[in-house]
Amino acid sequence: MTVTAAAPQNHAPHPYIGGRTAVLRALAAWRAGQAGAPRVVLLTGSRGSGRTHLLTGFLMLCDPEFRGRIALDDLDPSTVPPDLPAPAVAGAAGLTAAQLTWLIAGHYGLRATTTDDVYGELAALPGPFTVVVPDVDRAGPVRAAAEPDRVVRDVLRPLAGLGHVRLLADVPRESAATLASHLPPGTVQIIDLDEPQWADPQGLTRQAEALLTQRSAAQPALAAAIARHAGTSPLVVELAAVGHVPAGPVDEQSLPATVDEALDSHAYRHGSDPQTLRHLLTPLALAEGDGMPVELWARLVSAVAGQDMSAAVAAAPALIGPFVQSRQSYGAGDTGTPRTLVQLLHPAIGDAVLGGLRGVRAVQSQIAMALLEAVPGQDWSKADPYVRDHIAGHTLEAGLLPQLLTDPGLFVYADPTVLRAAVEAVPAEQLGDPARTYLRTAPLLSRTLAPARVRAALLESAFVEDGLAEYGAAVHRLGLPLPWQTLWSIRLPGISDVRLAGLVQRDAPPVPVVALTVPADTPGARPLGTADGAELLVYDLAHATAVPGAGPEYLVDHAEAERATAPLFLSRAKDQIRIWNREQNRVAAALLSEVPFTGADLAPDGFLVVATERGAKALRVRGDQGPAPH
């Protein structure tokens, strides 16, 4: 009897990826938890190696909804993961490590109140859990703030350390090695897409063929040549294929092997010089966020080049076309007028452009100055949203951010998540007092997602609390209708209660005062005669001066009937005081604190005094400034 070997089966490529069989096979084994498969897989490679594209295609196979749209029977069975519930996917692009942690906590319904508690709670839950974290290299709202490193340290490392968590993450190469060094042998597999064992020359050829066919007739010889020269980079394949290809025989020497070469060859084909193309792309290579307004980009091109580039900008679309993408943004600023935002097609293009600069810091200084000049009358309320929210990122890399952190208008109007990330990246010894106050308050500003008026109110109160009354006054001069004015603040630890009252005088009406319950032996305080030894310390409400020796017998409370009919009343939570408009039954103001309140009282005439572990402060509340957010 003769046994004939079965003919090899021709499997269809993944419809989105077009190849990558070796990698898909390894990822499918990880997802299935096969014997010997690693618990942690780190996908890495150079910029442009296709990590994001590959991971997206693999997640299609892991999601029940997308699986139903793919002809799985046509694929290599070893590349198809088992039909399991979709894994938790926490994309890191644009997020801080803290935001990413809360995203994971929300997915699993954790009740942690601090980021440090999230992973402890996750460890206590029965597993297993499968977590996928794409785009770690794009983490953070600020380019120069090193957020990818924090994500690796504060998110991926504790996740990978949990034995019942199966983790797949897309990380920079150096981060992969660092993370792997903290895990036991055999726990982690690093898949570097630039290494020969994971190479996919057939997939690159298919990619080139598809792109060339979209533009003209199929050109298999050219496609194969493009793929050969591109090495392991799908991005280089794309840039080569979408460029102008001359008729006639293929001149392989003219095909790019790197992004740098793709930039140069494209510029020459369009009768321009590579430096002009790089001048046009430099502002986008340094851009923050999800895109730069096209009008602002045109302005920054001239600033970067140090000369008038208006003619080059006018002719730019054909020259920069293969390297940029644009989109319409709606609701920008307060006008809601749509505008066009532009950004680079891929971060690797930015790397190539920046690699040719003499110094990024000097270029960022030019951009920062141009952005400052674009603020009308230095009024941040009128600044373009990109300038307002992202100037901190540019000045950070230029080394100029500390000089900018004395402007209350910027503190009030800038996106607090973005500005906080930039300020936290500045060495602490370089920060002045206003910046320190901002950092202390920024978590409250981010948490509330509050409008500028509420951010201004919280900052005004924080400035006064930190002894920066002149900055509190500057916030009022911004012209926003603040719900209160902070009158004074005292540093006095240990206050357990506050009470607004009147201090009896012999021949005059009672003087408004604040009665503070303080620990024993507080200078100037009088014993209350209670078992805990608490004492009473009285402060003049108008002048924030202590009234030595004043005891309970000299105080007269506001009448309960007067309180019950006052226009305003308060409700108190652990870290929030709400002031209500009684007639309209709405919240007129909300005072937040990053530490718990230990006492609060509101007088019928609108004076509010609150205490925390740090001390006490007095505010004059205005009940006619519109509702505050809950």
Side-chain angles (χ1 to χ4, degrees):
M1 179 177 177
T2 302
V3 178
T4 304
Q9 184 177 354
N10 292 321
H11 298 292
H14 188 295
Y16 181 76
I17 301 173
R20 298 286 193 185
T21 300
V23 181
L24 287 175
R25 190 175 289 130
L27 295 182
W30 164 83
R31 182 70 178 106
Q34 294 178 2
R39 183 173 58 81
V40 177
V41 173
L42 303 177
L43 187 65
T44 190
S46 59
R47 286 274 183 93
S49 59
R51 299 195 310 261
T52 299
H53 191 80
L54 170 60
L55 197 51
T56 300
F58 175 68
L59 289 175
M60 290 178 177
L61 298 173
C62 296
D63 186 281
E65 179 182 350
F66 278 100
R67 283 173 69 97
R69 305 176 189 176
I70 298 174
L72 299 180
D73 292 341
D74 295 339
L75 304 182
D76 183 338
S78 66
T79 67
V80 180
D83 189 7
L84 298 171
V89 180
L95 299 185
T96 65
Q99 289 174 318
L100 193 59
T101 296
W102 289 122
L103 189 62
I104 295 169
H107 179 87
Y108 291 110
L110 305 181
R111 297 184 177 181
T113 56
T114 69
T115 54
D116 291 339
D117 294 338
V118 168
Y119 302 102
E121 286 197 18
L122 193 59
L125 293 178
F129 302 110
T130 304
V131 182
V132 181
V133 184
D135 298 325
V136 172
D137 63 329
R138 304 188 191 191
V142 177
R143 287 182 61 258
E147 200 64 34
D149 294 338
R150 274 186 284 273
V151 168
V152 171
R153 182 186 67 236
D154 299 341
V155 180
L156 299 187
R157 190 184 298 179
L159 274 178
L162 300 177
H164 61 332
V165 170
R166 303 189 64 79
L167 175 66
L168 169 60
D170 158 22
V171 299
R173 183 177 287 115
E174 59 275 12
S175 298
T178 300
L179 185 55
S181 69
H182 288 85
L183 297 172
T187 301
V188 62
Q189 178 183 23
I190 297 177
I191 298 177
D192 189 330
L193 297 182
D194 293 324
E195 292 182 352
Q197 70 188 98
W198 308 111
D200 185 22
Q202 290 184 339
L204 293 179
T205 300
R206 291 192 193 101
Q207 178 192 4
E209 288 176 344
L211 290 168
L212 291 171
T213 302
Q214 290 174 9
R215 299 180 61 249
S216 59
Q219 303 177 67
L222 177 59
I226 287 174
R228 280 195 301 273
H229 275 260
T232 60
S233 175
L235 177 61
V236 174
V237 169
E238 179 176 356
L239 295 178
V242 300
H244 173 69
V245 180
V250 177
D251 178 10
E252 292 201 21
Q253 298 307 312
S254 68
L255 296 175
T258 65
V259 176
D260 266 311
E261 291 181 6
L263 288 166
D264 292 346
S265 61
H266 182 78
Y268 290 134
R269 282 197 301 271
H270 282 75
S272 182
D273 66 280
Q275 189 58 42
T276 297
L277 175 58
R278 282 171 165 77
H279 280 323
L280 293 169
L281 296 179
T282 296
L284 301 181
L286 293 170
E288 301 282 347
D290 295 326
M292 179 180 289
V294 66
E295 298 83 5
L296 183 61
W297 162 75
R299 180 172 186 162
L300 295 182
V301 168
S302 294
V304 167
Q307 57 183 307
D308 182 7
M309 295 288 289
S310 54
V313 168
L319 183 58
I320 69 173
F323 308 104
V324 302
Q325 55 190 351
S326 63
R327 64 182 179 87
Q328 290 295 111
S329 173
Y330 296 89
D334 300 324
T335 64
T337 303
R339 60 181 185 165
T340 301
L341 301 181
V342 289
Q343 63 181 168
L344 292 180
L345 181 69
H346 194 281
I349 299 172
D351 292 344
V353 170
L354 298 181
L357 297 180
R358 291 184 177 179
V360 171
R361 183 167 181 158
V363 175
Q364 284 283 37
S365 296
Q366 294 170 308
I367 289 177
M369 294 302 102
L371 293 178
L372 277 175
E373 292 172 0
V375 180
Q378 296 305 296
D379 183 346
W380 291 101
S381 68
K382 298 177 181 177
D384 181 276
Y386 181 91
V387 177
R388 180 189 67 209
D389 295 336
H390 296 300
I391 190 171
H394 291 282
T395 54
L396 171 66
E397 200 163 14
L400 301 174
L401 182 55
Q403 292 95 298
L404 197 63
L405 298 178
T406 58
D407 190 332
L410 178 65
F411 291 149
V412 167
Y413 286 104
D415 182 318
T417 300
V418 179
L419 183 55
R420 176 188 179 186
V423 178
E424 286 179 337
V426 177
E429 63 274 11
Q430 296 181 19
L431 295 178
D433 289 339
R436 297 176 193 276
T437 296
Y438 181 82
L439 273 186
R440 179 173 70 81
T441 314
L444 302 179
L445 309 182
S446 303
R447 189 182 87 189
T448 60
L449 299 178
R453 179 180 70 89
V454 177
R455 297 202 297 265
L458 294 174
L459 283 166
E460 181 264 5
S461 189
F463 282 134
V464 175
E465 186 176 347
D466 289 349
L468 303 173
E470 67 275 20
Y471 283 89
V475 172
H476 281 284
R477 291 196 294 271
L478 296 176
L480 291 166
L482 303 191
W484 59 65
Q485 179 180 6
T486 306
L487 304 177
W488 51 260
S489 177
I490 57 171
R491 292 280 181 176
L492 185 64
I495 300 173
S496 59
D497 195 18
V498 301
R499 179 165 56 103
L500 286 160
L503 180 66
V504 176
Q505 300 195 93
R506 179 173 300 176
D507 298 317
V511 175
V513 295
V514 182
L516 307 174
T517 303
V518 295
D521 300 324
T522 298
R526 286 272 304 275
L528 284 171
T530 56
D532 60 1
E535 297 185 345
L536 186 74
L537 183 61
V538 177
Y539 267 78
D540 183 286
L541 179 61
H543 305 100
T545 54
V547 183
E553 67 274 17
Y554 296 105
L555 301 181
V556 56
D557 290 329
H558 294 286
E560 287 301 321
E562 187 181 10
R563 287 180 178 268
T565 58
L568 303 174
F569 67 96
L570 69 78
S571 63
R572 173 181 160 191
K574 179 181 178 181
D575 58 357
Q576 183 173 159
I577 304 293
R578 290 178 174 174
I579 308 300
W580 294 77
N581 183 300
R582 190 182 303 277
E583 180 179 354
Q584 300 176 7
N585 193 31
R586 62 169 176 79
V587 177
L591 178 63
L592 306 177
S593 175
E594 75 278 15
V595 295
F597 288 107
T598 58
D601 194 17
L602 177 68
D605 55 4
F607 284 95
L608 170 68
V609 176
V610 298
T612 68
E613 62 185 24
R614 290 194 296 261
K617 60 183 176 182
L619 304 88
R620 180 71 170 92
V621 180
R622 301 160 179 167
D624 57 349
Q625 302 301 318
H630 290 255

